[in-house]
Amino acid sequence: MSTCTTVSRQLGEAQGATAPTATTWLLLEQPGPWGAKALTSSHLDPELGRALEQAAEGTGVRIALVRRPGRHADCRTRSVRQVYAAHTLPGNSWVRSADTAAPEELLRLDFAALGRGEHHTFDTVLRGVPHTAGPLALVCTNGKRDRCCALLGRPLAAELAAAGEHGVWEVSHLGGHRFSPTLLLLPHGYAYGRAETGAVRGALRGLREGRVDLDGCRGRSAWERPAQAAELAVRALSGEYGADALTVVRTEELPAPAVPGPHGAPAPEDGTPLWEVTVAHTDGRRWHVTVARGAADPPRPESCGAAVLGTPARMDVLAVRELSLPHAPR
């Protein structure tokens, strides 16, 4: 059976810089089935789902539904639900935990503050506390968005839970169906694709020790795609795996014509979007990274059941230049 996932694998499509973007994730437990747009097509009140979408718009907060691995029966009885908020920017990564029997309470949150990494209303409205039980692993399993997410994601979530990994949840949407099974690790916000149980357990062990595993990494969700590409490129070049050792301090779109990359890297044609991204290390080092947007050829299905083939955008790193540190005064 040909699926979007098998085609992507056969074409050797790169996964880097394809992570979903959000500075903060707000996760609400919702048992039962999910539709393609889970916030408004599940057993959650659709009016509440629409209101939450509107409240989060433009704040940097992304809302998703989660459920525990396994069977998804929902008797529609009023029950206590788990709620998480997770901020993903380096130097201020955190997860807060709460529970509620009234999900409409989430509308009282200050979404702009959450997007900035301030959790005071989460704590006061929902009686939130720090989550101290280790990283959260969110595996996309929403078959109504794409069948690959259900066929490949649900077994992965079940295997991780059976292996004794704590903090494993099924999540309603992470994008990049063709990279299934996909998952997101919080609080740091690194996304992964084509994930296998052993590799995920290794990535979780690494994060508990403050290290990032680059194998299958799609990028850090705190940044837009050009910055995701730049950060991953600097990690690969410098051999830096500390989760919070690098941060993106500036992303500037450059005018055409573009600058060709080194070592025979092709120069993009005039008009191709270009960015210069500045990546900083906690030790003071900095890099300028030139990133161009290209298109993946040949055309391929971006999800199962797509009516037409697509050429999904890709981020091409053209150059990585380490900046000289200023001389210390004598």
Side-chain angles (χ1 to χ4, degrees):
M1 178 178 64
S2 180
T3 64
C4 64
T5 300
T6 57
V7 173
S8 178
R9 282 181 181 269
Q10 290 165 357
L11 293 174
E13 184 177 359
Q15 300 183 96
T18 65
T21 57
T23 55
T24 302
W25 291 80
L26 181 62
L27 310 170
L28 172 64
E29 182 180 4
Q30 176 57 60
W34 298 332
K37 295 184 178 180
L39 275 179
T40 55
S41 54
S42 69
H43 289 179
L44 183 70
D45 178 359
E47 291 298 323
L48 173 59
R50 278 187 283 271
L52 287 170
E53 287 179 332
Q54 293 170 0
E57 188 173 355
T59 65
V61 177
R62 183 160 175 160
I63 305 173
L65 301 183
V66 295
R67 61 192 178 196
R68 301 177 192 277
R71 296 179 61 85
H72 302 138
D74 181 11
C75 300
R76 296 179 183 263
T77 57
R78 193 173 182 88
S79 60
V80 174
R81 304 154 184 254
Q82 183 70 51
V83 187
Y84 293 107
H87 190 62
T88 62
L89 279 170
N92 187 32
S93 299
W94 48 257
V95 177
R96 310 291 290 187
S97 173
D99 53 55
T100 182
E104 59 272 15
E105 286 186 310
L106 273 62
L107 291 174
R108 295 167 52 200
L109 299 177
D110 185 337
F111 284 84
L114 276 177
R116 295 191 300 267
E118 303 166 13
H119 51 73
H120 56 278
T121 59
F122 186 88
D123 294 348
T124 56
V125 171
L126 298 174
R127 301 156 297 284
V129 296
H131 173 73
T132 59
L136 299 179
L138 312 180
V139 182
C140 187
T141 63
N142 191 348
K144 294 296 184 180
R145 298 270 322 188
D146 191 281
R147 62 180 174 177
C148 287
C149 296
L151 291 174
L152 301 174
R154 291 193 66 192
L156 174 64
E159 288 168 9
L160 290 170
E165 292 291 348
H166 299 290
V168 177
W169 293 84
E170 298 186 8
V171 69
S172 55
H173 184 47
L174 292 177
H177 316 299
R178 62 194 185 279
F179 304 127
S180 295
T182 62
L183 75 151
L184 181 75
L185 302 184
L186 296 171
H188 298 92
Y190 282 99
Y192 291 84
R194 301 182 186 135
E196 297 178 356
T197 302
V200 174
R201 298 193 72 190
L204 285 168
R205 283 194 299 271
L207 274 186
R208 292 186 191 106
E209 299 168 0
R211 293 180 292 103
V212 178
D213 188 343
L214 297 187
D215 186 24
C217 187
R218 299 173 60 198
R220 188 166 186 155
S221 74
W223 299 305
E224 298 293 333
R225 292 187 62 186
Q228 292 178 18
E231 190 239 19
L232 290 176
V234 170
R235 286 194 180 279
L237 181 68
S238 66
E240 177 56 72
Y241 301 105
D244 282 343
L246 298 179
T247 191
V248 173
V249 296
R250 185 179 182 186
T251 301
E252 179 184 6
E253 188 164 1
L254 300 177
V259 181
H263 312 301
E269 298 177 357
D270 288 353
T272 296
L274 262 184
W275 294 267
E276 183 174 78
V277 182
T278 304
V279 179
H281 195 289
T282 52
D283 65 11
R285 285 180 290 166
R286 291 196 173 206
W287 294 262
H288 279 171
V289 184
T290 305
V291 181
R293 186 175 70 199
D297 287 318
R300 78 283 312 276
E302 296 186 59
S303 63
C304 291
V308 296
L309 300 181
T311 52
R314 67 169 193 262
M315 296 291 124
D316 297 325
V317 174
L318 304 184
V320 181
R321 180 168 60 92
E322 185 172 358
L323 306 181
S324 299
L325 290 174
H327 293 294
R330 296 183 179 180

